[in-house]
Amino acid sequence: MKKISIDPITRLEGHGRIDIFLDEEGEVANAYLVIPELRGFEKFCQGRPVEELPRITARICGVCPEAHLMASAKACDAVYHVDPPPAGKKLRELFYSAFYVADHTTHFYILGAPDFVMGPDADPAVRNILGVIAKVGVETGGKVIEARARSLDIIKMLGARTVHPIGAIPGGMSKPLSAEERVDVEESARWMVDFAQFTIQLFNDLVLANKEYVDLILSDPYTLPTYYMGLVDDKNRVNFYDGLVRVVDPEGEELVKYAPAQYLDNVAERVEPWTYVKIPYLKKIGWKGFVGGKDSGVYQATPLSRLNAADGMATPLAQAEYERMYETLGGKPVHQTLATHWARIIELLYAAERLLELTMDPEITDRNVRTIPTETPTEGVGIVEAPRGTLTHHYVTDEQGLVTECNLIVGTTNNIAPMSISIRQAAQGLIKKGEVISEGLLNMVEMAFRAYDPCMSCATHALPGRMPLEVRILDSTGQLVERLSQGLA
Amino acid sequence: MAGKPRVAFYWAGSCGGCEIAVLEIRERILDLAQAVDIIFWPVAMDFKYQDVEAMEDGSIDVCFFNGAIRSAENEHLARLFRAKSKTLVAYGSCAHEGCIPGLANLSDREGIFEVVYRENPSVENPEKLVPVTRYDLPEGEVELPTFYDTVRTLGQTVPVDYSVPGCPPQAHQSWAVFEAFVKGELPPVGSVIGAGEKTVCDECEHVKEEKKVKQFFRIHEIVPDEKKCLLEQGIICAGPATRSGCGALCPTANLPCRGCYGPPPGVVDQGAKFLSAVASVVDANTEEEAARIVSQIADPIGTFYRFGLAASLLRRRKLDQ
């Protein structure tokens, strides 16, 4: 049997690898997503004072530390049985909305756009952010840099730093937003709403107007019906910061809607000896292997999943786009994983609109942003939507608030099983008996999991544009038969 | 050095934040790209790992290496980049001193595997499996790198020429370091670069008066006066035991420094320095009172050695034989 290892070179030395096994006939027998890295936060958070965990667990990920900061602070609130004052919660959500603008902008323009703007089989030398800028204009590149800069300035305003910001603590936020700062945030939020609309227009013009791309989105190798997960508010609309976790089945019917404290009734994790990452699945449905469908506990937690799991968006412009996406793609739920790129920019628009709403809230500059905990700490679960999926932090403490148990189900890991299936499906659909494996073909396989924005140990954000891949074809004795690479110097 | 310096960036066991931190120099990244030849940077450019193996030894002028040495794979790459680079820089807290992942040295591989793969309440693992370095699947063999018992710094693994502290290094400091390399204005080998020569307290704007503490508080327990020194208000702050250079950022959010810039100049063990700084502010008349006040400090090892355990004199909990 032959083995094809797709090593994202950027991650090769410790962060992620795909092994594709071919059978004797040269057909794809199976594909495995292998994560060769572990750091063990669940163990070494034991013994730490729980209020320090927002700052400690942020170090899980340098790309999305804001998500860990917020999930952890919410878990701490629960541990201390404390409810932050309204301005504390709103400031957290404001901070988190600004983060979403930066993160979704980065993914869409730098990782996702090259495939669609330049074309999946374009020369790798131009299939990157520089190629995108050359094609759509240098002023667009400037806007992308500005969107990130404006977002990071808001994060630093409240969190003191841009990478590994602080500020979220048990009971609220460590400092309020001043009236002068609010004016700056409002100005940026207005700019971001315009930017998000510009982004959607760009997507319309470059992707939706191109039948070839729409056909690609709708094609079988990129279609994977599973359960879908996402946080929703009290009207079942998407929310990134707070709410209940809703899971819908592949037909879009609600399976369950659960509060953070009930996560153990709903999610379980499987251990496989060939990878360091655990593989979550829906406990009530059960593990049936790496397969999709209604009988399998495999679920997706992505921007598209969040839209599928919700009934709509809580802001007007995003809601209009939400409706247009489902009309265009033939109703809910959408199973086409490449449509995740579209869902992501609808969320970008929502994040910008929500940021603006929050800056206009009269309470946002209230000085009362903290409630001092008074009760004995016990146990708590905090859940937010990280850009890459539902993020769960669960802590148990002794009565001094020192952590005795720490459990983490991190954004990307939710999607390990569906990514594995998507990769296998794409490989099976594209790699056929006797066919020469071309660079373009490899990219098509890679696109299957790039849609998930995987963040193995938190930084598969390969800038600018794409993970270099290498395929090693090995025969059954492990001898190298052929080496193909793409996007490499 | 003749011509443009040939520069590589690489990460080992880390969170990716140091890579993002390099990008935080924003538009000056273009100036950097003009001034040097970036010959390897996985996060930003397409190069392959085999290209590095094929290079002549010493053919990289400067390698900025971030991340700690957590696995056999990390160690292999550390040795490879040491051989290929004239100058090797430990960039960021993980490579410099082990950082927060170094707290894993309070346990070992078995202890970590037990919690992660068997004890965590969401795990369903009736067969008590844990990952292994070689596993036979029906379709063939899959390999994983060995996970070590101990997190090591880059300098504990291979000789390091310079260290840039910070979790992550702040953008203005990274820029200063890049400029120093381009201009060839470097201090003696072995120096810490991209940081100050004092302590965080020296650049902190909170007003310092008399340090006399009768009671310590945890961060969630009080709302501190935002103008006054946090340590004087009884909030444990690593400022006195931490090298300057970040601009004393964390106190601007009314939260204490936790020490990510490592020990100040002349200090070998940051935790010991931190401990003595805290002890010196305790205002007690008797030994019993001093003991009572000090006992209010929750998690001393995780507080005093938050970022520096792997590089400290302690290094790790004793391994069972």
Side-chain angles (χ1 to χ4, degrees):
Chain A
M1 197 168 295
K2 283 182 179 175
K3 179 167 85 170
I4 306 177
S5 282
I6 300 190
D7 285 323
I9 295 279
T10 61
R11 320 300 321 161
L12 167 65
E13 300 81 23
H15 311 274
R17 183 179 86 229
I18 298 158
D19 286 350
I20 299 173
F21 291 93
L22 305 183
D23 63 19
E24 309 302 328
E25 279 78 47
E27 300 284 343
V28 173
N30 213 339
Y32 293 88
L33 177 58
V34 179
I35 308 300
E37 176 162 330
L38 169 74
R39 280 169 296 159
F41 276 79
E42 294 91 336
K43 174 63 184 175
F44 66 72
C45 284
Q46 292 179 357
R48 311 285 80 77
V50 71
E51 72 276 11
E52 296 291 328
L53 259 51
R55 287 174 86 165
I56 292 173
T57 59
R59 266 69 183 195
I60 292 170
C61 179
V63 178
C64 54
E66 293 86 353
H68 291 283
L69 182 76
M70 286 300 157
S72 182
K74 288 181 70 185
C76 286
D77 294 344
V79 164
Y80 276 104
H81 315 282
V82 64
D83 196 27
K89 287 185 199 167
K90 286 173 184 173
L91 267 191
R92 283 186 187 171
E93 192 177 350
L94 179 148
F95 171 99
Y96 205 48
S97 301
F99 157 64
Y100 253 83
V101 170
D103 200 277
H104 275 4
T105 297
T106 304
H107 180 93
F108 177 74
Y109 282 96
I110 296 176
L111 287 167
D115 289 328
F116 290 107
V117 175
M118 308 312 293
D121 49 5
D123 181 349
V126 298
R127 200 177 58 215
N128 55 40
I129 183 64
L130 300 177
V132 171
I133 289 172
K135 189 160 172 182
V136 300
V138 71
E139 64 280 8
T140 302
K143 279 181 199 242
V144 173
I145 290 173
E146 186 172 353
R148 272 188 62 82
R150 283 178 179 270
S151 305
L152 296 177
D153 287 346
I154 296 169
I155 288 165
K156 186 165 183 175
M157 189 184 282
L158 289 164
R161 312 149 55 102
T162 53
V163 178
H164 299 317
I166 59 175
I169 56 173
M173 291 290 279
S174 65
K175 73 168 198 179
L177 184 74
S178 73
E180 300 76 48
E181 288 169 333
R182 192 211 65 80
V183 172
D184 290 343
V185 180
E186 182 190 332
E187 201 262 319
S188 276
R190 291 191 189 284
W191 186 93
M192 288 169 186
V193 172
D194 287 345
F195 170 73
Q197 290 181 284
F198 165 83
T199 302
I200 285 174
Q201 190 58 48
L202 196 75
F203 187 79
N204 284 344
D205 297 345
L206 292 171
V207 181
L208 298 179
N210 186 330
K211 185 173 181 304
E212 201 184 327
Y213 291 161
V214 174
D215 289 346
L216 188 69
I217 290 172
L218 296 173
S219 66
D220 283 346
Y222 300 112
T223 301
L224 177 59
T226 64
Y227 287 85
Y228 300 102
M229 178 182 281
L231 266 185
V232 293
D233 67 12
D234 55 5
K235 296 194 176 85
N236 285 338
R237 299 173 305 191
V238 170
N239 194 288
F240 300 141
Y241 170 71
D242 209 5
L244 300 177
V245 179
R246 194 181 195 210
V247 181
V248 299
D249 70 18
E251 274 103 53
E253 294 299 316
E254 181 178 300
L255 171 76
V256 66
K257 195 156 72 168
Y258 68 86
Q262 297 155 352
Y263 87 103
L264 285 175
D265 298 331
N266 293 288
V267 178
E269 291 181 290
R270 181 176 174 78
V271 176
E272 291 282 358
W274 46 268
T275 181
Y276 282 126
V277 74
K278 292 178 280 189
I279 301 164
Y281 59 94
L282 295 170
K283 195 170 183 175
K284 286 174 180 160
I285 308 298
W287 176 258
K288 308 285 162 55
F290 289 92
V291 289
K294 201 170 178 176
D295 298 329
S296 165
V298 168
Y299 65 93
Q300 298 177 59
T302 65
L304 180 62
S305 309
R306 286 191 282 262
L307 269 52
N308 279 340
D311 291 342
M313 308 302 288
T315 56
L317 296 174
Q319 173 62 22
E321 284 303 317
Y322 179 93
E323 289 168 15
R324 191 170 67 93
M325 183 186 88
Y326 284 109
E327 277 163 26
T328 308
L329 296 177
K332 274 178 73 182
V334 164
H335 304 299
Q336 283 75 24
T337 51
L338 292 182
T340 306
H341 295 291
W342 194 352
R344 190 171 286 116
I345 57 175
I346 294 170
E347 288 195 335
L348 170 66
L349 180 55
Y350 164 70
E353 284 185 283
R354 185 76 190 120
L355 179 65
L356 181 57
E357 273 180 11
L358 286 161
T359 61
M360 304 307 288
D361 189 307
E363 265 183 330
I364 202 72
T365 50
D366 193 314
R367 304 281 301 167
N368 180 22
V369 292
R370 283 183 61 181
T371 305
I372 302 282
T374 53
E375 293 193 35
T376 305
T378 53
E379 178 173 3
V381 180
I383 293 184
V384 298
E385 282 297 328
R388 291 151 202 84
T390 311
L391 171 62
T392 305
H393 282 220
H394 175 198
Y395 312 143
V396 182
T397 72
D398 65 13
E399 59 187 26
Q400 304 302 315
L402 298 181
V403 174
T404 55
E405 266 184 60
C406 169
N407 193 25
L408 308 161
I409 301 179
V410 179
T412 288
T413 67
N414 292 293
N415 299 311
I416 292 291
M419 274 194 279
S420 303
I421 302 167
S422 286
I423 291 158
R424 186 184 64 209
Q425 246 174 232
Q428 284 171 338
L430 297 161
I431 298 174
K432 291 291 177 193
K433 189 182 309 196
E435 188 179 345
V436 175
I437 298 163
S438 68
E439 192 280 333
L441 207 62
L442 266 187
N443 189 49
M444 305 273 274
V445 175
E446 190 188 346
M447 282 169 66
F449 68 93
R450 189 153 50 229
Y452 294 89
D453 190 14
C455 181
M456 306 313 163
S457 90
C458 310
T460 306
H461 275 211
L463 310 170
R466 40 194 313 288
M467 283 182 283
L469 286 188
E470 183 189 49
V471 170
R472 290 179 295 149
I473 303 179
L474 302 147
D475 68 16
S476 51
T477 62
Q479 293 298 305
L480 189 69
V481 178
E482 195 178 351
R483 174 178 280 165
L484 288 160
S485 60
Q486 68 164 21
L488 306 172
Chain B
M1 43 190 95
K4 283 185 178 182
R6 290 158 57 82
V7 174
F9 293 92
Y10 182 71
W11 70 46
S14 74
C15 71
C18 283
E19 301 282 336
I20 302 295
V22 172
L23 297 173
E24 302 281 284
I25 65 174
R26 298 186 181 180
E27 65 281 355
R28 283 177 300 185
I29 197 85
L30 301 173
D31 300 336
L32 179 68
Q34 290 246 307
V36 304
D37 278 333
I38 301 175
I39 56 170
F40 190 85
W41 192 9
V43 77
M45 293 177 156
D46 295 357
F47 298 101
K48 65 179 171 177
Y49 166 51
Q50 280 74 13
D51 290 343
V52 180
E53 284 185 331
M55 286 175 192
E56 303 247 334
D57 282 1
S59 58
I60 299 170
D61 286 309
V62 191
C63 173
F64 294 94
F65 190 106
N66 76 71
I69 308 305
R70 169 78 277 181
S71 71
E73 203 165 39
N74 300 150
E75 176 166 3
H76 173 71
L77 269 293
R79 294 190 184 286
L80 182 68
F81 276 101
R82 173 66 279 184
K84 304 299 177 189
S85 308
K86 287 195 186 77
T87 301
L88 182 66
V89 181
Y91 180 84
S93 178
C94 281
H96 177 216
E97 50 174 357
C99 195
I100 280 174
L103 290 174
N105 288 357
L106 296 172
S107 182
D108 55 20
R109 175 172 51 206
E110 180 55 32
I112 290 167
F113 278 18
E114 189 64 24
V115 166
V116 172
Y117 300 117
R118 291 173 177 153
E119 289 180 9
N120 272 168
S122 49
V123 169
E124 297 270 325
N125 185 9
E127 294 172 66
K128 306 282 179 200
L129 298 171
V130 295
V132 293
T133 52
R134 282 173 181 272
Y135 188 75
D136 277 325
L137 286 158
E139 299 87 358
E141 188 179 66
V142 174
E143 295 173 13
L144 286 173
T146 303
F147 183 90
Y148 290 151
D149 278 317
T150 302
V151 173
R152 281 176 295 155
T153 68
L154 183 61
Q156 289 166 343
T157 309
V158 293
V160 161
D161 299 302
Y162 297 101
S163 296
V164 180
C167 177
Q170 292 300 308
H172 69 286
Q173 296 289 7
S174 295
W175 179 247
V177 166
F178 300 146
E179 274 194 322
F181 274 101
V182 170
K183 293 178 181 164
E185 295 168 355
L186 286 163
V189 164
S191 301
V192 168
I193 55 175
E197 292 298 318
K198 294 179 174 176
T199 69
V200 168
C201 291
D202 293 303
E203 47 184 26
C204 179
E205 289 181 358
H206 289 233
V207 178
K208 290 165 256 328
E209 291 169 345
E210 197 181 6
K211 287 188 171 53
K212 279 194 168 181
V213 173
K214 286 266 184 211
Q215 186 179 358
F216 286 114
F217 297 98
R218 288 157 67 179
I219 57 163
H220 61 292
E221 292 175 335
I222 58 164
V223 179
D225 183 320
E226 57 194 67
K227 298 267 187 326
K228 290 186 183 167
C229 169
L230 292 164
L231 186 55
E232 286 173 15
Q233 298 179 70
I235 295 174
I236 301 285
C237 179
T242 303
R243 187 183 277 268
S244 61
C246 64
L249 292 175
C250 293
T252 66
N254 299 331
L255 288 171
C257 169
R258 284 291 177 246
C260 79
Y261 261 67
V267 172
V268 175
D269 191 297
Q270 186 183 21
K273 167 78 179 167
F274 192 175
L275 183 60
S276 79
V278 167
S280 72
V281 305
V282 172
D283 181 21
N285 295 317
T286 64
E287 257 184 55
E288 290 74 29
E289 191 184 8
R292 182 188 61 75
I293 296 171
V294 170
S295 73
Q296 294 161 350
I297 301 169
D299 183 27
I301 192 149
T303 303
F304 299 130
Y305 291 93
R306 173 72 56 85
F307 288 86
L309 180 64
S312 72
L313 297 173
L314 305 177
R315 285 187 74 162
R316 61 159 301 116
R317 184 180 63 78
K318 196 163 175 283
L319 279 171
D320 298 328
Q321 293 305 308

